[in-house]
């Protein structure tokens, strides 16, 4: 009898946990599955992340960086293996930019981005926007 009750409780906990994790993943993704819209959404988030003023409080920086990392992971996971997009100039340039930013976040955490990296990322973001307009 106790085993039966425990197994039912365990099943209930697993169902709730799986449901909750699925909800978090879909809520945090913010990606529509439409390549151009998703790329522009990620660009907007990353631009916000790299343009944060230096006097921004640490909690806000961490939250924005967390959102940026989540979108980077979701974006790359969704489009890297899709041959319709992985060969596009806009995607390869975007992948270069997000790899640089993710690498910086991994290595240096919440330190301010160097101006040289900000400048390069902004230039790559403009190239991505241009390539999207041209359909590349």
């Amino acid at each position: 009898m106790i085993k039966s009750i425990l197994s039912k409780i365990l099943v209930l906990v697993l169902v709730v946990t799986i449901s909750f994790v699925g909800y978090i993943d879909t809520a945090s993704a913010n990606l529509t599955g439409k390549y151009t819209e998703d790329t522009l959404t990620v660009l907007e988030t990353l631009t916000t992340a790299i343009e944060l003023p230096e006097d921004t409080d640490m909690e806000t920086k961490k939250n924005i960086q967390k959102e940026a990392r989540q979108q980077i992971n979701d974006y790359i996971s969704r489009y890297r293996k899709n041959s319709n997009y992985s060969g596009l100039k806009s995607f390869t340039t975007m992948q270069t930019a997000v790899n640089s930013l993710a690498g910086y976040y991994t290595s240096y955490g919440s330190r301010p981005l160097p101006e040289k990296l900000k400048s390069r990322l902004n230039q790559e973001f403009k190239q991505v926007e241009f390539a999207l307009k041209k359909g590349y």
Side-chain angles (χ1 to χ4, degrees):
M1 176 148 162
I2 292 177
K3 282 185 176 182
S4 174
I5 293 172
L6 286 176
S7 67
K8 288 178 182 178
I9 290 173
L10 180 62
V11 168
L12 179 64
V13 168
L14 287 173
V15 167
V16 169
T17 303
I18 291 170
S19 299
F20 184 69
V21 169
Y23 173 74
I24 289 174
D25 285 346
T26 57
S28 66
N30 293 331
L31 298 179
T32 63
K34 298 176 183 172
Y35 174 72
T36 302
E37 288 178 27
D38 290 347
T39 303
L40 293 173
T41 299
V42 173
L43 279 176
E44 184 177 320
T45 301
L46 298 182
T47 301
T48 301
I50 66 172
E51 296 299 331
L52 283 175
E54 289 191 32
D55 61 344
T56 305
D57 65 286
M58 191 57 70
E59 191 63 32
T60 303
K61 282 183 182 181
K62 285 183 180 182
N63 288 337
I64 291 174
Q65 284 182 3
K66 183 178 177 183
E67 181 183 351
R69 285 180 177 198
Q70 182 65 46
Q71 281 195 351
I72 288 170
N73 290 337
D74 293 345
Y75 179 82
I76 294 297
S77 295
R78 181 176 290 237
Y79 294 110
R80 176 183 40 214
K81 292 184 180 178
N82 189 329
S83 60
N84 293 331
Y85 306 111
S86 63
L88 294 175
K89 173 118 174 94
S90 59
F91 180 79
T92 56
T93 304
M94 184 71 164
Q95 187 173 16
T96 300
V98 298
N99 285 342
S100 298
L101 187 58
Y104 186 85
Y105 284 160
T106 300
S107 298
Y108 301 106
S110 58
R111 289 186 189 169
L113 266 70
E115 286 302 317
K116 187 174 181 180
L117 179 58
K118 278 186 192 180
S119 174
R120 192 179 104 219
L121 288 172
N122 282 323
Q123 180 183 9
E124 288 174 342
F125 292 166
K126 287 178 186 174
Q127 290 173 355
V128 169
E129 288 175 342
F130 179 78
L132 286 173
K133 288 178 185 172
K134 294 290 186 181
Y136 299 147

